[in-house]
Amino acid sequence: MRIGIPAETSVGEKRVASVPDVVEKLIKLGFTVSVQSGAGDAANFSDDSYRTAGATIVEGAAKLWAESDIVFKVSVPSTEEIHLLREGGHLIGFIWPAQNPELMTQLAAKKATVLAIDCLPRMLSRAQKMDALTSQAGVAGYRAVIEAANVFGRFFNGQITAAGKVPPAKVFIAGAGVAGLAAIGTAAGLGAIVRANDTRAEVADQVKSLGGEFVKVEYEEEGGGGGGYAKVMSEGFQQAQREMYAKQAKEVDIIITTALIPGKPAPKLITAEMVKSMKPGSVIVDMAAERGGNCELTEPGQAVVKHGVTIVGYSDLNSRLAKQSSTLYGTNLFRLAEELCKTKDGIINVNMEDDAIRGLTVIKDGVVTWPAPAPKMPAAPAKPSAKPIAAPSAHGHGGGGAPASAGKTVMMFGIAALIFLLVGTYAPAAFLAHFTVFILACFVGYMVVWNVTPALHTPLMSVTNAISSIIAIGALVQISPPLLGGEARPDDLIRWLAIAGIALTTVNMFGGFAVTRRMLSMFRK
């Protein structure tokens, strides 16, 4: 089958549905690939690079759509593009069926099979490799911080220079989904003080792991809505959230909003009053501008200055990083092609028994199959039945493990005491003295070694360094008489073994500190 990659026609769209590296992999799956001339120019992929990868360059959209069995697209197809789609053809890309009912009707009339990448069941772990929403949200979150830095009037990181002190920027991120987490990591990497909030309490640890501070709303309500999205919260929660946002707006320099709920207008989180309360020169980047915006003063597609605050409402953040976005998106579609063509013969099989493929398929041979039923989740493993606890018998046997353990301990101490008694009765006095020192040395050594505090080491390294120190002291005692002028001189074998012991323990101790230094440097910027 032939896969067609057309040039995107949406205004401002610079991405392309596949890139040369991915085209090579598609050809290895048995497909032939056609690319419309100029389709990758805006993302810095030339026609020659596609030819080198093995694709055929086709002049004009009409010819490409007519020749293609499968069309890979990025943006939602226009009415003109639907007319170009072959009768009974296949279309894969962003469709948003809930928001585009007329589009669904037009595609069904073409008896097409349509796979909407935005309808992927994201809760399936094996579907993550095909999750274009996640890959594109990560790029958008990164780019949002870059756009904020572009219009912000200061450094992100704090600096102390001869010309004066520059405080670090304070960034607040509303929504800690994929885009929000990408923004947190980027802003923290640039040296800003980052705060974030989300209705889903479970993301607090993720925010902290990326270097941010999680700002909690003083209202107990869980906001997980399933599928990786948040749900609509109660009025009480929203009021408490607005109060928290109002406080943050007065303190921070940059606000990045990411809140979206599928099929609904973007919730208004930042009011005009909050914008007025922000410091002059502050920045708001509204990533939900395409759905109306999270800020009341956002103008979709534009950057405007209101009340001294720059409000960035770009809806093409992914296209502003087109090469990276296209590479990730193309890889997502390739992974989907792998699932559709497991035989690697260039023929796809839209298997409606596969939960991931069923979720993606919104139209099958002209029949609307959206929305898909909930995927079958694996059954939870059965809990092992609790074993009945036997009651202890009158003789103390057959009950719990405590009596048996106590009995073993008493027996071990009894045997040890008997051994010490025999040694004390029959052993020579000189041996007894050495044996006593040996026992005391074992006890003291154990207490010394295992009570070392691992302040700058891992616990294992602390113990080995402590043992090495004891070995070094013992070895020094063995070689000290000749070095200090004493009369007693150990055998040459013992002396050389002691010298070797000192050398090896020195390597071990200094190596421990070297490894610790390298471990600590991993956590420094």
Side-chain angles (χ1 to χ4, degrees):
M1 299 178 77
R2 181 175 293 276
I3 295 175
I5 313 294
E8 298 295 326
T9 59
S10 298
V11 177
E13 183 60 78
K14 297 179 180 179
R15 290 173 291 177
V16 63
S18 194
V19 300
D21 287 344
V22 174
V23 166
E24 290 183 6
K25 298 176 183 178
L26 289 171
I27 292 172
K28 289 179 182 178
L29 282 179
F31 297 102
T32 54
V33 181
S34 295
V35 179
Q36 184 179 341
S37 179
D41 287 350
N44 294 319
F45 296 109
S46 66
D47 288 350
D48 287 340
S49 65
Y50 283 106
R51 286 193 187 94
T52 302
T56 302
I57 302 301
V58 177
E59 296 291 339
K63 183 178 181 182
L64 179 119
W65 284 79
E67 292 179 350
S68 301
D69 302 297
I70 309 164
V71 176
F72 282 2
K73 265 192 63 62
V74 180
S75 57
V76 176
S78 64
T79 301
E80 292 75 15
E81 288 175 320
I82 294 174
H83 289 321
L84 296 176
L85 180 65
R86 285 174 55 175
E87 191 88 5
H90 296 74
L91 177 65
I92 301 176
F94 284 105
I95 303 297
W96 303 107
Q99 289 83 19
N100 297 294
E102 292 183 9
L103 173 69
M104 293 286 288
T105 302
Q106 293 171 357
L107 289 168
K110 298 285 287 189
K111 295 186 175 10
T113 296
V114 182
L115 277 70
I117 200 70
D118 48 273
C119 292
L120 181 76
R122 302 171 78 185
M123 70 287 297
L124 299 176
S125 58
R126 70 183 186 85
Q128 293 176 3
K129 62 186 178 181
M130 301 178 276
D131 190 357
L133 287 174
T134 294
S135 68
Q136 300 305 291
V139 175
Y142 170 87
R143 185 68 193 192
V145 176
I146 302 304
E147 293 296 338
N150 183 50
V151 296
F152 186 52
R154 294 205 322 263
F155 297 129
F156 264 48
N157 62 321
Q159 295 187 19
I160 299 176
T161 70
K165 180 180 179 181
V166 180
K170 294 180 180 178
V171 180
F172 178 71
I173 295 169
V178 177
L181 292 173
I184 291 167
T186 306
L190 290 173
I193 296 172
V194 184
R195 304 169 186 170
N197 167 261
D198 197 279
T199 57
R200 296 159 291 188
E202 67 269 16
V203 305
D205 290 337
Q206 299 174 35
V207 171
K208 294 174 184 176
S209 69
L210 290 170
E213 174 192 351
F214 187 78
V215 182
K216 192 174 183 296
V217 176
E218 297 301 326
Y219 193 99
E220 294 300 328
E221 183 178 351
E222 175 51 41
Y229 294 100
K231 69 175 184 180
V232 178
M233 307 300 286
S234 68
E235 182 55 40
F237 181 93
Q238 292 181 36
Q239 178 59 35
Q241 187 183 53
R242 283 192 290 269
E243 293 174 0
M244 183 270 289
Y245 283 160
K247 180 181 177 182
Q248 293 298 321
K250 295 176 182 178
E251 297 179 2
V252 302
D253 304 298
I254 296 169
I255 295 177
I256 297 175
T257 65
T258 69
L260 276 176
I261 298 172
K264 296 181 181 294
K268 299 300 180 185
L269 305 178
I270 309 298
T271 64
E273 290 300 319
M274 295 180 195
V275 176
K276 290 180 182 178
S277 71
M278 296 181 73
K279 292 173 282 190
S282 298
V283 180
I284 296 174
V285 179
D286 193 340
M287 295 184 64
E290 192 173 7
R291 306 287 180 84
N294 296 136
C295 177
E296 287 183 348
L297 302 181
T298 297
E299 295 186 13
Q302 298 184 40
V304 296
V305 179
K306 297 185 178 180
H307 306 295
V309 177
T310 302
I311 304 172
V312 179
Y314 298 147
S315 55
D316 60 346
L317 290 173
N318 290 101
S319 286
R320 290 170 180 264
L321 212 61
K323 187 168 187 176
Q324 184 66 76
S325 298
S326 300
T327 300
L328 294 175
Y329 183 70
T331 301
N332 293 140
L333 295 192
F334 166 69
R335 296 303 180 190
L336 173 56
E338 283 185 319
E339 293 295 314
L340 294 170
C341 183
K342 293 183 178 180
T343 53
K344 297 184 179 181
D345 58 358
I347 306 296
I348 66 170
N349 173 31
V350 182
N351 181 12
M352 300 296 274
E353 299 299 319
D354 185 312
D355 283 338
I357 302 303
R358 176 64 188 88
L360 285 166
T361 307
V362 295
I363 300 176
K364 179 73 161 65
D365 297 327
V367 179
V368 176
T369 58
W370 180 86
K376 307 181 193 74
M377 303 304 291
K383 295 183 178 179
S385 57
K387 295 182 180 178
I389 301 175
S393 65
H395 300 288
H397 302 293
S405 299
K408 288 181 180 180
T409 303
V410 171
M411 185 179 297
M412 289 176 61
F413 272 102
I415 293 172
L418 180 60
I419 292 172
F420 284 130
L421 179 62
L422 292 174
V423 170
T425 304
Y426 298 104
F431 176 81
L432 186 61
H434 288 297
F435 185 70
T436 303
V437 171
F438 173 74
I439 296 298
L440 290 174
C442 289
F443 175 75
V444 172
Y446 176 84
M447 297 303 294
V448 168
V449 169
W450 291 103
N451 282 296
V452 172
T453 302
L456 291 176
H457 298 290
T458 62
L460 177 61
M461 201 175 295
S462 300
V463 169
T464 57
N465 273 9
I467 293 173
S468 297
S469 302
I470 293 173
I471 293 172
I473 292 171
L476 287 171
V477 169
Q478 292 299 320
I479 65 174
S480 60
L483 293 179
L484 300 178
E487 295 182 2
R489 181 183 179 87
D491 294 338
D492 285 341
L493 177 60
I494 295 175
R495 183 158 57 89
W496 285 110
L497 285 174
I499 292 172
I502 291 173
L504 292 175
T505 53
T506 301
V507 171
N508 184 64
M509 286 189 286
F510 278 93
F513 282 105
V515 170
T516 300
R517 181 182 179 85
R518 293 188 64 179
M519 290 173 62
L520 291 174
S521 66
M522 291 170 60
F523 297 95
R524 295 195 185 100
K525 290 185 179 179

